[in-house]
Coordinates of all heavy atoms in Angstrom, one line a residue:
M712 N 111.3 -8.9 50.6 CA 110.6 -8.1 49.7 C 110.3 -8.9 48.4 O 111.2 -9.5 47.9 CB 111.4 -6.8 49.3 CG 110.7 -6.0 48.3 SD 111.5 -4.4 48.0 CE 112.7 -4.8 46.8
L713 N 109.1 -8.9 47.9 CA 108.8 -9.5 46.7 C 108.7 -8.5 45.6 O 108.1 -7.4 45.7 CB 107.4 -10.2 46.8 CG 106.8 -10.8 45.5 CD1 107.7 -11.9 45.0 CD2 105.4 -11.3 45.8
E714 N 109.4 -8.7 44.5 CA 109.4 -7.8 43.4 C 108.9 -8.5 42.1 O 109.4 -9.6 41.8 CB 110.8 -7.2 43.2 CG 110.9 -6.2 42.1 CD 112.2 -5.5 42.0 OE1 112.9 -5.3 43.1 OE2 112.7 -5.3 40.9
R715 N 108.0 -7.9 41.4 CA 107.5 -8.5 40.2 C 107.8 -7.5 39.1 O 107.6 -6.3 39.2 CB 106.0 -8.7 40.2 CG 105.5 -9.7 41.2 CD 105.7 -11.1 40.8 NE 105.3 -11.4 39.5 CZ 104.2 -12.0 39.1 NH1 103.3 -12.4 40.0 NH2 103.9 -12.3 37.9
T716 N 108.3 -8.0 37.9 CA 108.5 -7.1 36.8 C 107.8 -7.7 35.6 O 107.3 -8.9 35.6 CB 110.0 -7.0 36.4 OG1 110.5 -8.3 36.2 CG2 110.7 -6.3 37.6
D717 N 107.6 -7.0 34.5 CA 106.9 -7.4 33.3 C 105.5 -8.0 33.6 O 105.2 -9.1 33.2 CB 107.8 -8.5 32.6 CG 109.1 -7.9 32.1 OD1 109.1 -6.7 31.7 OD2 110.1 -8.6 32.1
L718 N 104.7 -7.3 34.4 CA 103.4 -7.7 34.7 C 102.5 -7.7 33.5 O 102.6 -6.9 32.6 CB 102.8 -6.9 35.8 CG 103.5 -6.9 37.2 CD1 102.9 -5.9 38.1 CD2 103.3 -8.3 37.8
A719 N 101.6 -8.6 33.5 CA 100.6 -8.7 32.4 C 99.2 -8.6 33.1 O 99.1 -8.8 34.3 CB 100.7 -10.0 31.6
R720 N 98.1 -8.4 32.4 CA 96.8 -8.3 33.0 C 96.5 -9.5 33.8 O 95.8 -9.4 34.9 CB 95.7 -8.1 31.9 CG 95.7 -6.7 31.3 CD 94.4 -6.5 30.6 NE 94.4 -5.2 30.0 CZ 94.0 -4.1 30.6 NH1 93.6 -4.2 31.8 NH2 94.0 -2.9 30.0
G721 N 96.9 -10.7 33.5 CA 96.6 -11.9 34.2 C 97.3 -11.9 35.6 O 96.9 -12.7 36.5
D722 N 98.3 -11.0 35.8 CA 99.0 -11.0 37.1 C 98.3 -10.0 38.1 O 98.6 -10.0 39.3 CB 100.4 -10.5 36.9 CG 101.2 -11.4 36.0 OD1 101.0 -12.6 36.2 OD2 102.0 -10.9 35.2
F723 N 97.3 -9.2 37.6 CA 96.6 -8.3 38.5 C 95.7 -9.1 39.5 O 95.2 -10.1 39.2 CB 95.8 -7.3 37.8 CG 96.6 -6.5 36.8 CD1 96.1 -5.9 35.7 CD2 98.0 -6.3 37.0 CE1 96.8 -5.1 34.8 CE2 98.8 -5.5 36.1 CZ 98.1 -4.9 35.0
G724 N 95.6 -8.6 40.7 CA 94.8 -9.2 41.7 C 95.4 -9.0 43.1 O 96.3 -8.2 43.3
T725 N 94.9 -9.8 44.1 CA 95.4 -9.7 45.4 C 96.4 -10.8 45.7 O 96.1 -12.0 45.4 CB 94.2 -9.9 46.4 OG1 93.2 -8.8 46.1 CG2 94.6 -9.7 47.9
Y726 N 97.5 -10.4 46.2 CA 98.6 -11.3 46.6 C 98.6 -11.4 48.1 O 98.5 -10.3 48.8 CB 99.9 -10.9 46.1 CG 100.1 -11.2 44.6 CD1 99.5 -10.3 43.6 CD2 100.8 -12.2 44.1 CE1 99.6 -10.5 42.3 CE2 100.9 -12.5 42.8 CZ 100.3 -11.6 41.8 OH 100.4 -11.9 40.5
S727 N 98.8 -12.6 48.7 CA 98.9 -12.7 50.2 C 100.2 -13.5 50.5 O 100.6 -14.4 49.7 CB 97.7 -13.4 50.8 OG 96.5 -12.7 50.5
V728 N 100.7 -13.2 51.7 CA 101.9 -14.0 52.1 C 101.7 -14.2 53.6 O 101.2 -13.4 54.3 CB 103.2 -13.2 51.8 CG1 103.3 -11.9 52.6 CG2 104.4 -14.1 52.2
A729 N 102.1 -15.4 54.1 CA 102.1 -15.7 55.5 C 103.4 -16.3 55.9 O 104.0 -17.2 55.2 CB 101.0 -16.8 55.8
V730 N 104.0 -15.8 57.0 CA 105.3 -16.3 57.4 C 105.2 -16.8 58.8 O 105.0 -16.0 59.8 CB 106.3 -15.1 57.4 CG1 107.7 -15.6 57.8 CG2 106.4 -14.5 56.0
P731 N 105.2 -18.1 59.0 CA 105.1 -18.7 60.3 C 106.5 -19.0 60.9 O 107.5 -19.2 60.1 CB 104.3 -20.0 60.1 CG 104.7 -20.4 58.7 CD 105.0 -19.1 58.0
N732 N 106.7 -18.9 62.2 CA 107.9 -19.4 62.9 C 107.4 -19.9 64.3 O 106.3 -19.9 64.6 CB 109.0 -18.4 62.9 CG 108.6 -17.2 63.7 OD1 107.7 -17.2 64.6 ND2 109.4 -16.1 63.5
T733 N 108.4 -20.2 65.1 CA 108.1 -20.8 66.4 C 107.4 -19.8 67.3 O 106.7 -20.2 68.2 CB 109.4 -21.3 67.1 OG1 110.3 -20.2 67.2 CG2 109.9 -22.5 66.4
A734 N 107.5 -18.5 67.0 CA 106.9 -17.5 67.9 C 105.5 -17.1 67.4 O 104.8 -16.4 68.0 CB 107.8 -16.2 67.8
G735 N 105.1 -17.7 66.3 CA 103.8 -17.4 65.7 C 103.8 -17.2 64.2 O 104.7 -17.7 63.6
S736 N 103.0 -16.4 63.7 CA 103.0 -16.1 62.3 C 102.5 -14.7 62.0 O 101.8 -14.1 62.9 CB 102.1 -17.1 61.5 OG 100.8 -16.9 61.8
V737 N 102.8 -14.2 60.9 CA 102.4 -12.9 60.5 C 102.0 -13.0 59.0 O 102.6 -13.8 58.3 CB 103.5 -11.8 60.7 CG1 104.7 -12.1 59.8 CG2 102.9 -10.4 60.4
S738 N 101.0 -12.2 58.6 CA 100.5 -12.3 57.2 C 100.3 -10.9 56.7 O 100.1 -10.0 57.5 CB 99.3 -13.2 57.1 OG 98.2 -12.6 57.8
A739 N 100.3 -10.7 55.4 CA 100.1 -9.5 54.8 C 99.5 -9.7 53.4 O 99.7 -10.8 52.8 CB 101.3 -8.6 54.7
S740 N 98.8 -8.7 52.9 CA 98.4 -8.9 51.5 C 98.5 -7.5 50.8 O 98.6 -6.5 51.4 CB 96.9 -9.3 51.4 OG 96.1 -8.4 52.1
A741 N 98.6 -7.6 49.5 CA 98.7 -6.4 48.7 C 97.9 -6.6 47.4 O 97.7 -7.7 46.9 CB 100.2 -6.1 48.3
V742 N 97.4 -5.5 46.8 CA 96.7 -5.6 45.6 C 97.6 -5.0 44.5 O 98.2 -4.0 44.6 CB 95.4 -4.7 45.6 CG1 94.7 -4.7 44.3 CG2 94.5 -5.3 46.7
V743 N 97.7 -5.8 43.4 CA 98.4 -5.4 42.2 C 97.4 -5.0 41.2 O 96.6 -5.8 40.7 CB 99.3 -6.5 41.7 CG1 100.0 -6.0 40.4 CG2 100.3 -6.9 42.7
A744 N 97.4 -3.7 40.8 CA 96.5 -3.2 39.8 C 97.2 -2.2 38.9 O 98.3 -1.7 39.2 CB 95.4 -2.4 40.5
A745 N 96.7 -2.0 37.7 CA 97.2 -1.1 36.8 C 96.3 0.1 36.6 O 95.1 -0.1 36.6 CB 97.5 -1.8 35.4
K746 N 96.8 1.2 36.4 CA 96.1 2.4 36.1 C 96.0 2.5 34.6 O 97.0 2.5 33.9 CB 96.7 3.6 36.7 CG 95.9 4.9 36.6 CD 96.7 6.0 37.2 CE 96.0 6.5 38.5 NZ 96.6 7.7 39.0
E747 N 94.8 2.6 34.0 CA 94.7 2.6 32.6 C 95.2 4.0 32.1 O 94.8 5.0 32.7 CB 93.2 2.5 32.2 CG 92.7 1.1 32.4 CD 93.3 0.1 31.5 OE1 93.7 0.4 30.3 OE2 93.4 -1.1 31.9
G748 N 95.9 4.0 31.1 CA 96.4 5.3 30.5 C 95.4 5.8 29.5 O 94.5 5.2 29.1
L749 N 95.7 7.0 29.1 CA 94.9 7.7 28.1 C 95.2 7.0 26.7 O 96.3 6.7 26.4 CB 95.3 9.2 28.0 CG 94.7 10.0 26.9 CD1 93.2 10.1 27.1 CD2 95.4 11.4 26.9
G750 N 94.1 6.8 26.0 CA 94.3 6.2 24.7 C 93.0 6.2 23.8 O 91.9 6.3 24.4
F751 N 93.2 6.0 22.6 CA 92.1 5.9 21.7 C 92.0 4.4 21.4 O 92.9 3.7 21.2 CB 92.3 6.6 20.4 CG 92.3 8.1 20.5 CD1 93.5 8.9 20.5 CD2 91.1 8.8 20.8 CE1 93.4 10.2 20.6 CE2 91.1 10.2 20.9 CZ 92.3 10.9 20.8
G752 N 90.7 3.9 21.3 CA 90.5 2.5 20.9 C 90.5 2.5 19.4 O 91.0 3.4 18.7
M753 N 90.0 1.4 18.9 CA 90.0 1.2 17.4 C 89.1 2.2 16.8 O 87.9 2.3 17.1 CB 89.4 -0.2 17.1 CG 89.3 -0.5 15.6 SD 90.9 -0.5 14.7 CE 91.5 -2.1 15.3
I754 N 89.6 3.1 15.9 CA 88.9 4.1 15.3 C 88.2 3.5 14.1 O 88.8 2.8 13.3 CB 89.8 5.3 14.8 CG1 90.4 5.9 16.1 CG2 89.0 6.3 14.0 CD1 91.5 6.9 15.8
K755 N 86.9 3.7 14.0 CA 86.1 3.1 12.9 C 85.3 4.2 12.1 O 85.1 5.2 12.7 CB 85.1 2.1 13.5 CG 85.8 0.9 14.2 CD 84.7 0.0 14.8 CE 85.4 -1.1 15.6 NZ 84.4 -2.0 16.2
T756 N 85.0 3.9 10.9 CA 84.1 4.8 10.2 C 82.7 4.4 10.4 O 82.4 3.2 10.5 CB 84.5 4.8 8.7 OG1 84.4 3.4 8.2 CG2 85.9 5.3 8.4
G757 N 81.9 5.4 10.5 CA 80.4 5.1 10.7 C 79.7 5.5 9.4 O 80.3 5.8 8.4
P758 N 78.4 5.5 9.5 CA 77.6 5.9 8.3 C 77.7 7.4 8.0 O 78.0 8.2 8.9 CB 76.1 5.5 8.8 CG 76.2 5.6 10.3 CD 77.6 5.2 10.7
I759 N 77.5 7.7 6.8 CA 77.5 9.1 6.3 C 78.6 9.9 6.8 O 78.5 10.9 7.5 CB 76.1 9.7 6.6 CG1 75.0 8.8 6.3 CG2 76.0 11.1 5.9 CD1 73.6 9.3 6.9
S760 N 79.8 9.5 6.4 CA 81.0 10.3 6.7 C 81.2 10.6 8.2 O 81.5 11.7 8.5 CB 81.0 11.6 5.9 OG 80.9 11.4 4.5
Q761 N 81.1 9.6 9.0 CA 81.3 9.8 10.4 C 82.5 8.9 10.9 O 82.8 7.9 10.3 CB 80.1 9.4 11.2 CG 78.9 10.3 11.1 CD 77.7 9.8 11.9 OE1 77.6 8.6 12.3 NE2 76.9 10.7 12.2
I762 N 83.2 9.4 11.9 CA 84.3 8.6 12.6 C 83.8 8.3 14.0 O 83.3 9.2 14.7 CB 85.5 9.5 12.6 CG1 86.0 9.8 11.2 CG2 86.6 8.7 13.4 CD1 87.2 10.8 11.3
L763 N 84.0 7.0 14.4 CA 83.7 6.6 15.7 C 85.0 6.5 16.4 O 85.9 5.7 16.1 CB 83.0 5.3 15.7 CG 81.7 5.2 14.8 CD1 81.2 3.8 14.8 CD2 80.7 6.2 15.3
L764 N 85.2 7.4 17.4 CA 86.5 7.5 18.1 C 86.3 7.2 19.6 O 86.0 8.1 20.4 CB 87.0 9.0 17.9 CG 88.3 9.4 18.5 CD1 89.4 8.7 17.8 CD2 88.4 10.9 18.4
P765 N 86.6 6.0 20.0 CA 86.4 5.7 21.5 C 87.7 6.1 22.2 O 88.8 5.8 21.9 CB 86.3 4.1 21.5 CG 87.0 3.7 20.2 CD 86.8 4.8 19.2
L766 N 87.4 6.9 23.3 CA 88.5 7.5 24.1 C 88.5 6.9 25.5 O 87.4 6.9 26.1 CB 88.4 9.0 24.2 CG 89.3 9.8 25.1 CD1 90.8 9.7 24.5 CD2 88.9 11.2 25.2
S767 N 89.6 6.4 26.0 CA 89.7 5.9 27.3 C 90.7 6.7 28.1 O 91.8 7.0 27.5 CB 90.1 4.4 27.3 OG 89.1 3.6 26.7
G768 N 90.4 7.0 29.4 CA 91.4 7.7 30.2 C 91.1 7.4 31.7 O 90.2 6.6 32.0
E769 N 91.7 8.2 32.5 CA 91.5 8.0 33.9 C 90.1 8.5 34.3 O 89.7 9.6 33.9 CB 92.6 8.8 34.7 CG 92.6 8.6 36.2 CD 93.7 9.3 36.9 OE1 94.7 9.7 36.2 OE2 93.6 9.5 38.1
N770 N 89.4 7.7 35.0 CA 88.0 8.0 35.4 C 87.9 9.3 36.1 O 88.6 9.6 37.0 CB 87.4 6.9 36.3 CG 86.0 7.0 36.5 OD1 85.3 7.6 35.7 ND2 85.5 6.4 37.6
G771 N 87.0 10.2 35.5 CA 86.7 11.5 36.1 C 87.7 12.6 35.7 O 87.5 13.7 36.1
V772 N 88.6 12.3 34.9 CA 89.6 13.3 34.4 C 89.1 13.8 33.0 O 88.6 13.1 32.2 CB 91.0 12.7 34.2 CG1 92.0 13.6 33.6 CG2 91.5 12.2 35.6
G773 N 89.3 15.2 32.9 CA 88.9 15.8 31.6 C 90.0 15.8 30.6 O 91.2 16.0 31.0
Y774 N 89.7 15.7 29.4 CA 90.6 15.7 28.3 C 90.1 16.7 27.2 O 88.9 16.8 26.9 CB 90.9 14.3 27.7 CG 91.4 13.4 28.7 CD1 90.6 12.5 29.4 CD2 92.8 13.4 29.0 CE1 91.1 11.7 30.4 CE2 93.3 12.5 29.9 CZ 92.5 11.6 30.6 OH 93.0 10.8 31.6
R775 N 91.1 17.3 26.5 CA 90.8 18.2 25.4 C 91.3 17.4 24.1 O 92.4 16.9 24.1 CB 91.6 19.4 25.5 CG 91.6 20.3 24.3 CD 92.6 21.5 24.5 NE 92.7 22.3 23.2 CZ 92.0 23.4 23.0 NH1 91.2 23.9 23.9 NH2 92.2 24.0 21.9
V776 N 90.4 17.2 23.2 CA 90.7 16.4 22.0 C 90.8 17.3 20.8 O 90.0 18.2 20.6 CB 89.6 15.3 21.7 CG1 89.9 14.6 20.4 CG2 89.5 14.4 22.9
E777 N 91.9 17.1 20.1 CA 92.3 18.0 18.9 C 92.6 17.1 17.7 O 92.9 15.9 17.9 CB 93.5 18.8 19.3 CG 93.3 19.7 20.5 CD 94.5 20.5 20.9 OE1 95.7 20.0 20.6 OE2 94.4 21.5 21.6
S778 N 92.5 17.7 16.6 CA 92.9 17.0 15.3 C 93.8 17.9 14.5 O 93.9 19.1 14.6 CB 91.6 16.7 14.5 OG 91.0 17.9 14.0
T779 N 94.5 17.2 13.6 CA 95.4 17.8 12.6 C 95.6 17.0 11.4 O 95.3 15.8 11.4 CB 96.8 18.1 13.3 OG1 97.6 18.9 12.4 CG2 97.5 16.8 13.6
T780 N 96.0 17.6 10.3 CA 96.4 16.9 9.1 C 97.9 17.0 8.9 O 98.4 16.3 8.0 CB 95.7 17.5 7.9 OG1 96.1 18.9 7.8 CG2 94.2 17.4 8.0
N781 N 98.6 17.8 9.7 CA 100.1 18.0 9.4 C 101.0 17.9 10.7 O 102.2 18.2 10.6 CB 100.3 19.3 8.7 CG 99.8 20.5 9.5 OD1 99.6 20.4 10.7 ND2 99.7 21.6 8.9
F782 N 100.4 17.7 11.8 CA 101.1 17.6 13.1 C 101.7 18.9 13.6 O 102.5 19.0 14.5 CB 102.2 16.5 13.1 CG 101.7 15.1 13.0 CD1 101.7 14.4 11.8 CD2 101.2 14.5 14.1 CE1 101.2 13.2 11.7 CE2 100.7 13.2 14.1 CZ 100.7 12.5 12.9
V783 N 101.3 20.0 12.9 CA 101.8 21.3 13.3 C 100.6 22.2 13.8 O 100.6 22.8 14.8 CB 102.5 22.0 12.1 CG1 102.9 23.5 12.5 CG2 103.8 21.3 11.7
D784 N 99.6 22.2 12.9 CA 98.4 23.0 13.2 C 97.3 22.2 13.8 O 96.7 21.4 13.1 CB 97.9 23.7 11.9 CG 99.0 24.6 11.3 OD1 99.6 25.4 12.0 OD2 99.2 24.4 10.1
W785 N 97.0 22.3 15.1 CA 96.1 21.5 15.8 C 94.8 22.2 16.0 O 94.8 23.4 16.4 CB 96.6 21.0 17.1 CG 97.7 20.0 17.0 CD1 99.0 20.2 16.9 CD2 97.5 18.6 16.9 NE1 99.7 19.1 16.7 CE2 98.8 18.0 16.7 CE3 96.4 17.7 16.9 CZ2 99.0 16.7 16.6 CZ3 96.6 16.4 16.8 CH2 97.9 15.8 16.6
S786 N 93.6 21.6 15.8 CA 92.3 22.2 15.9 C 91.6 21.6 17.0 O 91.5 20.4 17.1 CB 91.5 22.1 14.6 OG 92.1 22.7 13.5
F787 N 90.9 22.4 17.9 CA 90.1 21.9 19.0 C 88.9 21.2 18.4 O 88.2 21.8 17.5 CB 89.7 23.1 19.9 CG 88.7 22.7 20.9 CD1 89.1 22.1 22.1 CD2 87.4 23.0 20.7 CE1 88.2 21.7 23.0 CE2 86.4 22.7 21.7 CZ 86.8 22.0 22.8
L788 N 88.6 20.1 19.0 CA 87.4 19.3 18.6 C 86.3 19.4 19.7 O 85.2 19.8 19.5 CB 87.7 17.9 18.2 CG 88.5 17.7 17.0 CD1 88.8 16.2 16.8 CD2 87.7 18.2 15.8
F789 N 86.7 19.0 20.9 CA 85.8 18.9 22.0 C 86.5 18.6 23.3 O 87.7 18.2 23.3 CB 84.7 17.9 21.8 CG 85.3 16.5 21.6 CD1 85.5 15.6 22.7 CD2 85.5 16.0 20.3 CE1 86.1 14.4 22.4 CE2 86.0 14.7 20.1 CZ 86.3 13.9 21.2
D790 N 85.9 18.9 24.5 CA 86.3 18.5 25.8 C 85.5 17.3 26.2 O 84.3 17.2 25.9 CB 86.2 19.6 26.8 CG 87.2 20.7 26.6 OD1 88.3 20.4 26.4 OD2 86.8 21.9 26.6
V791 N 86.1 16.3 26.9 CA 85.4 15.2 27.4 C 85.9 14.7 28.7 O 87.1 15.0 29.0 CB 85.5 14.0 26.3 CG1 86.9 13.6 26.2 CG2 84.6 12.8 26.7
T792 N 85.1 14.1 29.5 CA 85.5 13.6 30.8 C 85.4 12.1 30.7 O 84.4 11.5 30.3 CB 84.6 14.1 31.9 OG1 84.7 15.5 32.0 CG2 85.0 13.5 33.3
A793 N 86.5 11.4 31.0 CA 86.6 10.0 30.9 C 85.7 9.3 32.0 O 85.5 9.9 33.1 CB 88.1 9.5 31.1
T794 N 85.2 8.2 31.6 CA 84.3 7.4 32.5 C 84.9 6.0 32.7 O 86.0 5.8 32.3 CB 82.9 7.3 31.9 OG1 83.0 6.6 30.6 CG2 82.2 8.7 31.7
E795 N 84.1 5.1 33.3 CA 84.6 3.8 33.6 C 85.0 3.0 32.3 O 86.0 2.2 32.3 CB 83.5 2.9 34.3 CG 83.3 3.4 35.7 CD 84.4 3.0 36.6 OE1 85.1 2.0 36.4 OE2 84.6 3.7 37.6
G796 N 84.4 3.3 31.2 CA 84.7 2.6 29.9 C 85.1 3.6 28.9 O 85.1 4.8 29.1
P797 N 85.3 3.1 27.7 CA 85.6 4.1 26.6 C 84.4 5.0 26.3 O 83.3 4.6 26.4 CB 85.8 3.2 25.4 CG 86.2 1.9 26.0 CD 85.4 1.8 27.2
V798 N 84.7 6.3 26.1 CA 83.7 7.3 25.8 C 83.5 7.2 24.3 O 84.5 7.6 23.5 CB 84.1 8.7 26.2 CG1 83.1 9.7 25.8 CG2 84.4 8.7 27.7
P799 N 82.4 6.9 23.8 CA 82.2 6.8 22.3 C 81.9 8.2 21.8 O 81.1 8.9 22.2 CB 80.9 5.9 22.2 CG 80.2 6.1 23.4 CD 81.2 6.4 24.5
V800 N 82.8 8.6 20.8 CA 82.6 9.9 20.3 C 82.4 9.8 18.8 O 83.1 9.0 18.1 CB 83.9 10.7 20.5 CG1 83.9 12.1 19.8 CG2 84.2 10.9 22.0
V801 N 81.4 10.5 18.2 CA 81.1 10.5 16.8 C 81.5 11.8 16.2 O 81.1 12.9 16.7 CB 79.7 10.2 16.5 CG1 79.4 10.2 15.1 CG2 79.3 8.9 17.2
L802 N 82.4 11.8 15.2 CA 82.8 13.0 14.5 C 82.4 13.0 13.1 O 82.4 11.9 12.4 CB 84.3 13.1 14.6 CG 85.0 13.1 16.0 CD1 86.5 13.0 15.9 CD2 84.6 14.4 16.7
S803 N 82.2 14.2 12.5 CA 81.9 14.3 11.1 C 83.3 14.3 10.3 O 84.2 14.8 10.8 CB 81.2 15.5 10.7 OG 79.9 15.5 11.3
W804 N 83.3 13.6 9.2 CA 84.5 13.5 8.4 C 84.4 14.2 7.1 O 83.4 14.1 6.4 CB 84.7 12.0 8.2 CG 85.9 11.7 7.2 CD1 85.7 11.4 5.9 CD2 87.2 11.7 7.5 NE1 87.0 11.2 5.3 CE2 87.9 11.3 6.3 CE3 88.0 11.9 8.6 CZ2 89.3 11.2 6.2 CZ3 89.4 11.8 8.5 CH2 90.0 11.4 7.4
E805 N 85.3 15.1 6.9 CA 85.3 15.8 5.6 C 85.8 14.9 4.5 O 87.0 14.4 4.6 CB 86.2 17.1 5.7 CG 85.6 18.1 6.6 CD 86.5 19.3 6.7 OE1 87.2 19.6 5.8 OE2 86.5 20.0 7.8
T806 N 85.0 14.6 3.6 CA 85.4 13.5 2.6 C 86.5 13.9 1.7 O 87.1 13.1 1.0 CB 84.2 13.2 1.7 OG1 83.6 14.4 1.1 CG2 83.1 12.5 2.6
N807 N 86.9 15.2 1.6 CA 88.0 15.6 0.8 C 89.4 15.4 1.5 O 90.4 15.7 1.0 CB 87.9 17.0 0.3 CG 87.9 18.0 1.5 OD1 87.6 17.7 2.6 ND2 88.1 19.3 1.2
R808 N 89.4 14.9 2.7 CA 90.6 14.7 3.5 C 91.1 13.2 3.4 O 90.2 12.3 3.6 CB 90.5 15.0 5.0 CG 90.3 16.5 5.2 CD 90.4 16.8 6.7 NE 90.4 18.2 6.9 CZ 90.2 18.7 8.1 NH1 90.1 18.0 9.2 NH2 90.2 20.0 8.2
N809 N 92.3 13.0 3.1 CA 92.9 11.6 3.1 C 93.3 11.2 4.4 O 93.2 10.0 4.7 CB 94.0 11.5 2.1 CG 93.6 11.7 0.7 OD1 92.5 11.4 0.3 ND2 94.4 12.3 -0.2
E810 N 93.8 12.1 5.3 CA 94.3 11.7 6.6 C 93.9 12.7 7.6 O 93.9 13.9 7.4 CB 95.9 11.6 6.6 CG 96.4 10.6 5.6 CD 97.9 10.6 5.6 OE1 98.5 11.7 5.7 OE2 98.5 9.5 5.4
L811 N 93.6 12.2 8.8 CA 93.3 13.1 9.9 C 93.9 12.4 11.2 O 93.6 11.2 11.4 CB 91.8 13.3 10.0 CG 91.3 14.3 11.1 CD1 91.8 15.7 10.8 CD2 89.8 14.3 11.1
F812 N 94.6 13.2 12.0 CA 95.2 12.6 13.2 C 94.6 13.3 14.4 O 94.2 14.4 14.4 CB 96.7 12.9 13.2 CG 97.4 12.3 11.9 CD1 97.6 13.1 10.8 CD2 97.8 11.0 11.9 CE1 98.1 12.6 9.7 CE2 98.3 10.5 10.7 CZ 98.5 11.3 9.6
F813 N 94.6 12.5 15.5 CA 94.0 13.0 16.8 C 94.9 12.9 17.9 O 95.8 12.1 17.9 CB 92.7 12.1 17.1 CG 91.7 12.1 16.1 CD1 91.7 11.0 15.1 CD2 90.8 13.1 16.0 CE1 90.7 11.0 14.2 CE2 89.8 13.1 15.0 CZ 89.8 12.0 14.1
R814 N 94.7 13.8 18.9 CA 95.4 13.7 20.2 C 94.5 14.2 21.3 O 93.6 14.9 21.0 CB 96.7 14.6 20.2 CG 96.5 16.1 20.2 CD 97.8 16.8 20.3 NE 97.6 18.3 20.3 CZ 98.6 19.2 20.2 NH1 99.8 18.7 20.0 NH2 98.3 20.4 20.2
A815 N 94.8 13.7 22.5 CA 94.0 14.1 23.7 C 95.0 14.6 24.7 O 96.0 13.9 24.9 CB 93.2 12.9 24.2
I816 N 94.7 15.7 25.3 CA 95.5 16.3 26.3 C 94.8 16.4 27.6 O 93.6 16.9 27.6 CB 96.0 17.7 25.8 CG1 96.7 17.5 24.5 CG2 96.9 18.3 26.9 CD1 97.0 18.8 23.8
R817 N 95.3 16.1 28.7 CA 94.7 16.2 30.0 C 94.4 17.7 30.2 O 95.2 18.5 30.1 CB 95.5 15.6 31.1 CG 94.9 15.6 32.4 CD 95.7 15.0 33.5 NE 95.1 15.0 34.8 CZ 95.1 14.0 35.7 NH1 95.8 13.0 35.4 NH2 94.5 14.1 36.8
S818 N 93.1 18.0 30.6 CA 92.7 19.4 30.8 C 92.5 19.8 32.3 O 92.2 20.9 32.5 CB 91.5 19.7 29.9 OG 90.4 18.9 30.3
N819 N 92.5 18.8 33.2 CA 92.3 19.2 34.6 C 93.2 18.3 35.5 O 93.7 17.3 35.1 CB 90.9 19.1 35.0 CG 90.2 17.7 34.9 OD1 90.9 16.7 34.5 ND2 89.0 17.6 35.3

């Protein structure tokens, strides 16, 4: 058995092994891949009080995105379904707020 720990992106791919002996040989291969987790990319400010919020998650899975200023009272913002790449989301920003926090929760 081959065991790999502490994998990095450069380790992903197809691995093959061949074992020969006097009776012949046998070979096998396996694919090492990572499932991307849910996360927000670099949050940026856009023009005219906008926030650009790129969301990445499992392809085809729906997420509910919420915001808060105090980590107690969460407000619904929108539902989104993850695609192959980050979903670019543009939000309006209330200029009288100093801080705004986001979370995404799997909805299906």
